[in-house]
Amino acid sequence: MKKLMMAAASGTVLGLMATTQIAGPLVAQEATQDANVYEQLDLFGDIFERIRQGYVEDVDEKDLIQAAINGMLTSLDPHSSYLSEDDAADMRVQTRGEFGGLGLEVTQEEGFVKVVSPIDGTPAAAAGMEAGDFITAVDGESLLGLTLDEALEYLRGPVGSEVIITVVREGEIEPFEVSIIRDTIKLTAVRHRTEGNAVVLRVTTFNAQTFPNLEEGLKEQVEAAGGIDNIDGVIIDLRNNPGGLLNQAVYVSDAFLEAGEIVSTRGRDPQDGDRYNATPGDLAQGKPIVVLINGGSASASEIVAGALQDHRRAIVVGTKSFGKGSVQTVVPLQGNGAMRLTTARYYTPSGRSIQALGISPDIIVEQPRRTPEDEAAEEEQSGGIFRSEADLRGALNNDSLTEDEIRQIEEDRDRAEAAAQLREDDYQLAYAIDILKGLNALGPVNEE
């Protein structure tokens, strides 16, 4: 026993010695890193003091510090930033669904302000702004070299005031100017209507009202149609939807899934990851779903499209989405400011990250661009007078049909004309409706 105890003691001593020998360099390395950090902080303090005392004009120390903080954050990625007290208040207002401005969701790409998407029903959308546009100047002032927050200060202004922005657009040879009148932006999170026999849910943003609006809108349209059996399916239109709240994307996805993963997030530390799963219940009751996306569909929109696509619950139609696959956490700071920090990437149920890649549609459908020349040609073609058999003098009447049958034929003709007009106005949406018609005609698939 005595030998055993000694051996144990010897082992403990050896273990301590070994630990000391290994840990010594690690402690020294950490101490060196700490020393380097303090040296850099001393450098920052030295530069700050030299600017404060020697710059050609008086400077506001608070502005200097905020600019340094924002520079530190924006150097990480385009979505991390410092929010001043006013900016933080604006962000809280926007998530509630009403704010003042132009109605543009923007980001920064290689020093340029890039439009993620114009928001439906806003001055920017009415002025013809498009996803992918680059804003190079505001009222003649160049935005090149400014941070995103600095550029946004040029775009903001009193409601009712005019702003002239210079736009560079792919396919246009020269930059051009767009005049926009600032207005109060009231976001209707979900607009709903019926086209033919398809319920169209136009989701414009993911704020606190999105899921309640969607649930109520779908219910209203189904009741107006006389029940779920009288509709071909549901179209979820996420085009030019810049995203928003993660939890709302989860709720919307869950609304049409019975089970399974919706999305997962993974941070630097694997233990910080989260996984969101669907709960039983499908608002569409198994009816076919088509999701519409384009290059302006970002973030929360991509979560919904990716979840429904991976579970094969919906056919995704349109063009490749924006590719914002990161999650930002807003951290309140002293002085009522906040820090928006990228803390995780999100992954679709199949485990794919769409960061910088986007969601690829199952069926790629471009929205045709209509030029003034196209419209002039159509007007010229439609100028002719087309006559039918019924217009001929002395034509025989069709007396084989009842009044109800004639009325039904006229209603079918009106629907066909409305569908043809929709193809002119919104080709992608018309394509989605045609897909639902085809799926509904096939009927439910019986599994044995």
Side-chain angles (χ1 to χ4, degrees):
M1 178 67 70
K2 186 174 180 180
K3 289 182 180 179
L4 181 60
M5 291 181 65
M6 288 182 65
S10 299
T12 302
V13 172
L14 289 172
L16 288 171
M17 289 176 64
T19 301
T20 304
Q21 290 172 349
I22 295 172
L26 292 177
V27 172
Q29 184 178 2
E30 289 179 3
T32 301
Q33 290 175 347
D34 289 343
N36 289 336
V37 169
Y38 288 126
E39 286 177 6
Q40 295 299 314
L41 289 175
D42 286 341
L43 175 62
F44 172 82
D46 184 36
I47 292 174
F48 174 80
E49 193 60 32
R50 287 178 181 272
I51 293 173
R52 196 163 68 96
Q53 293 183 3
Y55 187 64
V56 66
E57 296 177 354
D58 288 336
V59 292
D60 188 307
E61 290 90 345
K62 181 180 178 182
D63 289 344
L64 271 181
I65 293 173
Q66 288 186 357
I69 294 171
N70 195 48
M72 180 166 52
L73 287 164
T74 55
S75 70
L76 300 173
D77 65 80
H79 308 293
S80 295
S81 64
Y82 171 74
L83 301 173
S84 66
E85 181 178 356
D86 291 341
D87 292 337
D90 288 343
M91 184 199 65
R92 288 190 288 270
V93 170
Q94 288 185 34
T95 58
R96 290 198 298 269
E98 181 175 332
F99 56 96
L102 303 178
L104 283 173
E105 177 75 15
V106 297
T107 186
Q108 198 161 39
E109 186 173 295
E110 297 180 357
F112 295 95
V113 176
K114 182 179 182 180
V115 176
V116 175
S117 68
I119 300 170
D120 283 358
T122 64
M129 295 296 295
E130 297 181 4
D133 286 347
F134 286 92
I135 301 174
T136 59
V138 176
D139 291 331
E141 294 287 338
S142 174
L143 301 184
L144 188 61
L146 300 181
T147 66
L148 185 58
D149 285 339
E150 289 170 340
L152 289 175
E153 288 300 319
Y154 281 88
L155 293 170
R156 294 176 180 135
V159 170
S161 61
E162 181 187 26
V163 60
I164 297 176
I165 59 178
T166 305
V167 177
V168 173
R169 178 176 295 168
E170 184 178 358
E172 299 287 342
I173 298 175
E174 297 289 337
F176 57 93
E177 293 184 341
V178 178
S179 172
I180 307 177
I181 305 297
R182 298 180 178 97
D183 199 359
T184 299
I185 310 301
K186 295 182 179 179
L187 296 182
T188 301
V190 182
R191 295 185 177 94
H192 52 86
R193 70 184 192 276
T194 298
E195 291 281 355
N197 293 326
V199 174
V200 181
L201 301 173
R202 171 72 180 120
V203 185
T204 60
T205 187
F206 286 87
N207 62 27
Q209 302 303 315
T210 300
F211 175 68
N213 287 173
L214 180 139
E215 184 178 32
E216 181 182 352
L218 178 56
K219 180 181 178 182
E220 183 179 318
Q221 293 300 314
V222 169
E223 288 178 352
I228 195 74
D229 293 334
N230 294 326
I231 68 170
D232 290 338
V234 177
I235 295 171
I236 305 174
D237 187 354
L238 299 175
R239 291 174 298 175
N240 293 330
N241 183 322
L245 300 177
L246 173 62
N247 66 340
Q248 291 294 314
V250 171
Y251 296 154
V252 170
S253 303
D254 191 7
F256 303 102
L257 294 174
E258 293 282 2
E261 181 180 306
I262 294 172
V263 65
S264 61
T265 63
R266 305 175 204 170
R268 184 169 65 183
D269 187 342
Q271 295 180 345
D272 293 337
D274 286 311
R275 191 179 303 273
Y276 302 87
N277 295 311
T279 55
D282 177 1
L283 293 183
Q285 299 181 41
K287 283 288 185 176
I289 298 175
V290 173
V291 174
L292 279 173
I293 62 171
N294 65 3
S297 306
S299 194
S301 297
E302 295 170 296
I303 291 176
V304 174
L308 298 182
Q309 184 183 54
D310 281 2
H311 283 285
R312 299 190 177 183
R313 182 62 187 93
I315 295 175
V316 178
V317 173
T319 56
K320 185 173 74 70
S321 63
F322 186 76
K324 180 182 177 293
S326 60
V327 179
Q328 281 69 47
T329 300
V330 177
V331 182
L333 300 174
Q334 61 182 9
N336 295 322
M339 173 177 63
R340 184 166 48 205
L341 184 66
T342 299
T343 53
R345 289 183 172 88
Y346 68 74
Y347 296 79
T348 68
S350 64
R352 56 179 169 150
S353 168
I354 53 87
Q355 173 61 27
L357 296 176
I359 296 289
S360 296
D362 298 307
I363 303 174
I364 296 176
V365 180
E366 298 279 354
Q367 189 81 295
R369 285 184 178 272
R370 292 172 58 81
T371 65
E373 291 76 14
D374 294 334
E375 295 175 358
E378 288 178 7
E379 288 180 6
E380 184 178 346
Q381 291 175 1
S382 62
I385 299 175
F386 298 95
R387 299 171 66 86
S388 69
E389 171 70 16
D391 296 318
L392 299 179
R393 187 189 300 271
L396 296 175
N397 293 325
N398 189 332
D399 56 5
S400 64
L401 298 174
T402 66
E403 289 185 3
D404 288 342
E405 289 173 329
I406 293 174
R407 187 183 305 110
Q408 183 63 49
I409 290 173
E410 290 175 345
E411 289 176 357
D412 290 343
R413 184 183 298 131
D414 289 341
R415 279 195 291 269
E417 290 176 354
Q421 182 59 47
L422 184 62
R423 286 187 181 87
E424 294 292 328
D425 298 337
D426 191 338
Y427 181 75
Q428 290 174 322
L429 179 59
Y431 197 104
I433 291 172
D434 287 342
I435 290 175
L436 285 185
K437 286 180 181 176
L439 292 173
N440 195 65
L442 291 174
V445 178
N446 295 321
E447 298 182 357
E448 296 182 357

